[in-house]
Amino acid sequence: QVPLVESGGGSVQAGGSLRLSCAASEYTYRSYCMGWFRQAPEKKREMIARIAWGDSTYYADSVKGRFTISKDNAKNTLYLQMNSLKPEDTAMYYCAAESTGATCLRPNYWGQGTQVTVSS
């Protein structure tokens, strides 16, 4: 079973919304931390949101107030609701999980990525 499978990417105009989903295997979903990363062309991959045990959350300043990370325990699924999208949000978005720590700084599981393109 593939550990993480993202869906929900696509093209949207600036100001629009998208919701990304990440379906996890039962084992992966029990990781200490799950998060969303993104990588724009010629830029480093960055963590933009994470949720750890106890449902504590973290958001990068670039998405704070616009993006919301959440989990559905009944579906073993991680979500990223993205509102007020900007062209600079254009990137490949990845779901990741870290089974050995609660920071998501060293994920040991990665999804295949889903493209988000925001046009002005």
Side-chain angles (χ1 to χ4, degrees):
Q1 187 177 7
V2 178
L4 298 169
V5 179
E6 301 100 333
S7 62
S11 297
V12 65
Q13 288 191 326
S17 299
L18 285 173
R19 188 177 79 157
L20 305 184
S21 299
C22 174
S25 67
E26 186 171 351
Y27 176 80
T28 307
Y29 193 76
R30 293 201 298 266
S31 295
Y32 284 112
C33 183
M34 295 188 74
W36 289 97
F37 293 69
R38 70 184 181 187
Q39 186 168 19
E42 301 182 359
K43 291 190 176 181
K44 291 184 178 180
R45 188 175 297 186
E46 61 171 342
M47 180 172 62
I48 55 172
R50 70 167 185 246
I51 185 166
W53 275 110
D55 290 339
S56 63
T57 57
Y58 159 86
Y59 296 95
D61 287 343
S62 57
V63 306
K64 197 174 295 182
R66 301 187 297 122
F67 292 10
T68 303
I69 189 171
S70 63
K71 297 171 69 177
D72 185 332
N73 296 331
K75 297 181 179 180
N76 290 350
T77 300
L78 180 73
Y79 299 101
L80 184 69
Q81 178 66 44
M82 306 185 294
N83 298 328
S84 301
L85 283 161
K86 305 175 181 180
E88 50 264 43
D89 294 318
T90 295
M92 184 70 80
Y93 284 70
Y94 298 89
C95 173
E98 182 176 347
S99 61
T100 57
T103 63
C104 282
L105 292 178
R106 297 181 182 83
N108 46 339
Y109 299 104
W110 289 92
Q112 82 286 356
T114 185
Q115 177 68 37
V116 171
T117 302
V118 184
S119 58
S120 57

